């Protein structure tokens, strides 16, 4: 009320009628509200997954809270070129960034629409475009020193509609169908990569290199349903995929956002 936040009337529920255990544990089969889904996008050769994950999470949550039939598409290019935290720290670029910093940018400065600031997949100078959408607040599920539990992440999805998550997306480019489940959480001990300085680095057990949006779960498959930003031709589900619980370091860092109407 202090922030003049108004919930959509259809979102109100009688708390006495809720089977909390069922909500937290998830119903049998797959739990996903497809009406909240917005179009899958393609980040192309720019390392802007952080901006796409943040945008998709905001868009999904907006549709859940306000029951909007319109796809309010945010501009990832705005975040890449102009994104900064409330304190003025850079949110990221085509070389990577952070979803929580993107949410900070949306909260303190608002963000342009995709129509007003189209995606070019480049690090360009920030352009003065109308800032249309904002956020009341954002936060993290669990803590940054341990993985939140599966139930905690499910509860956040139930409340907000979607959450961002960092992952270790090794081998994902060749994904076809089924459940991604090859690498258990905290088991990335033999992977190396070449840094921008040309040096080779060994990854720790909780290494992450990509950001996705978790939009639902499927207990029948013991997996999260994730929305990626590699286009609709990635995999056999139009840009979505199943990622097994507790694999690929998924849910190491999980963030939610509450949009402004």
């Amino acid at each position: 009320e202090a922030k003049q936040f108004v919930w959509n009337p259809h979102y109100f529920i009688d708390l006495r009628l809720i089977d909390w255990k069922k909500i937290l544990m998830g119903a049998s089969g797959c739990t996903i509200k497809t009406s909240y889904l917005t179009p899958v996008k393609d980040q192309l050769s720019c390392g802007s997954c952080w901006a796409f994950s943040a945008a998709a999470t905001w868009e999904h949550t907006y549709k859940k809270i306000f029951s909007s039939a319109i796809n309010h598409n945010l501009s990832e290019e705005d975040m890449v070129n102009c994104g900064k935290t409330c304190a003025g720290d850079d949110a990221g670029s085509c070389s990577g960034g952070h979803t929580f910093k993107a949410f900070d940018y949306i909260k303190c400065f608002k963000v342009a629409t995709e129509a007003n600031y189209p995606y070019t997949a480049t690090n360009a100078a920030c352009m003065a475009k109308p800032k249309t959408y904002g956020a009341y607040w954002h936060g993290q599920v669990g803590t940054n020193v341990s993985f939140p539990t599966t139930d905690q992440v499910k509860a956040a999805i139930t409340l907000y509609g979607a959450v961002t998550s960092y992952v270790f997306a090794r081998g994902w480019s060749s994904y076809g169908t089924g459940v991604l489940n090859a690498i258990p959480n905290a088991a990335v001990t033999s992977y190396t990569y070449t840094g921008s300085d040309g040096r080779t680095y060994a990854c720790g057990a909780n290494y992450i290199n990509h950001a996705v949006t978790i939009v639902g779960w499927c207990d029948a498959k013991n997996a999260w349903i994730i929305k990626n930003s590699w286009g609709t031709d990635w995999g056999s589900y139009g840009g979505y995929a199943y990622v097994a619980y507790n694999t690929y370091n998924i849910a190491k860092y999980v963030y939610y956002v509450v949009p402004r109407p």
Side-chain angles (χ1 to χ4, degrees):
E1 292 179 353
K3 294 181 178 294
Q4 298 182 336
F5 187 81
V6 180
W7 294 97
N8 185 295
H10 296 295
Y11 191 66
F12 288 127
I13 50 180
D14 187 340
L15 300 181
R16 297 169 298 178
L17 302 179
I18 294 178
D19 183 342
W20 290 102
K21 183 177 180 180
K22 182 177 180 180
I23 287 180
L24 294 178
M25 297 302 296
S28 62
C30 295
T31 302
I32 182 172
K33 186 72 170 178
T34 55
S35 65
Y36 302 153
L37 304 182
T38 53
V40 170
K41 301 178 184 179
D42 193 339
Q43 68 186 75
L44 303 176
S45 59
C46 172
S48 53
C49 58
W50 57 276
F52 279 83
S53 177
T57 299
W58 186 99
E59 292 161 2
H60 285 52
T61 305
Y62 190 100
K63 294 189 75 171
K64 176 180 176 65
I65 293 177
F66 302 111
S67 298
S68 172
I70 302 174
N71 289 326
H72 293 76
N73 291 328
L74 301 189
S75 170
E76 291 82 8
E77 191 69 26
D78 185 2
M79 299 183 212
V80 170
N81 296 167
C82 310
K84 58 185 177 181
T85 67
C86 299
D89 296 328
D90 185 39
S93 66
C94 281
S95 298
H98 298 282
T99 57
F100 67 91
K101 290 186 177 181
F103 288 151
D104 222 33
Y105 175 60
I106 297 171
K107 181 182 73 173
C108 287
F109 304 100
K110 293 189 176 182
V111 64
T113 64
E114 182 76 22
N116 283 334
Y117 207 145
Y119 187 65
T120 63
T122 58
N123 290 321
C126 178
M127 299 175 64
K129 297 290 185 178
K131 306 295 184 182
T132 307
Y133 294 114
Y136 283 114
W137 66 85
H138 60 89
Q140 184 173 359
V141 179
T143 69
N144 60 4
V145 295
S146 63
F147 290 89
T149 67
T150 299
D151 288 349
Q152 286 177 317
V153 178
K154 286 180 178 179
I157 297 170
T158 300
L159 180 59
Y160 300 108
V163 293
T164 70
S165 177
Y166 296 133
V167 298
F168 176 56
R170 186 178 187 181
W172 283 24
S173 60
S174 60
Y175 175 66
T177 190
V179 179
L180 288 160
N181 60 6
I183 303 176
N185 278 358
V188 184
T189 57
S190 60
Y191 179 72
T192 60
Y193 71 98
T194 301
S196 58
D197 57 1
R199 297 175 61 185
T200 299
Y201 294 87
C203 301
N206 292 325
Y207 181 67
I208 48 180
N209 61 3
H210 189 48
V212 297
T213 304
I214 305 179
V215 298
W217 66 87
C218 192
D219 281 342
K221 297 179 181 292
N222 290 312
W224 299 113
I225 302 172
I226 64 106
K227 179 183 184 179
N228 206 351
S229 53
W230 293 348
T232 56
D233 57 349
W234 178 71
S236 60
Y237 306 112
Y240 291 85
Y242 296 106
V243 181
Y245 301 146
N246 304 312
T247 64
Y248 294 98
N249 288 338
I250 194 166
K252 171 60 178 175
Y253 301 101
V254 179
Y255 301 96
Y256 63 87
V257 64
V258 177
R260 295 179 72 97

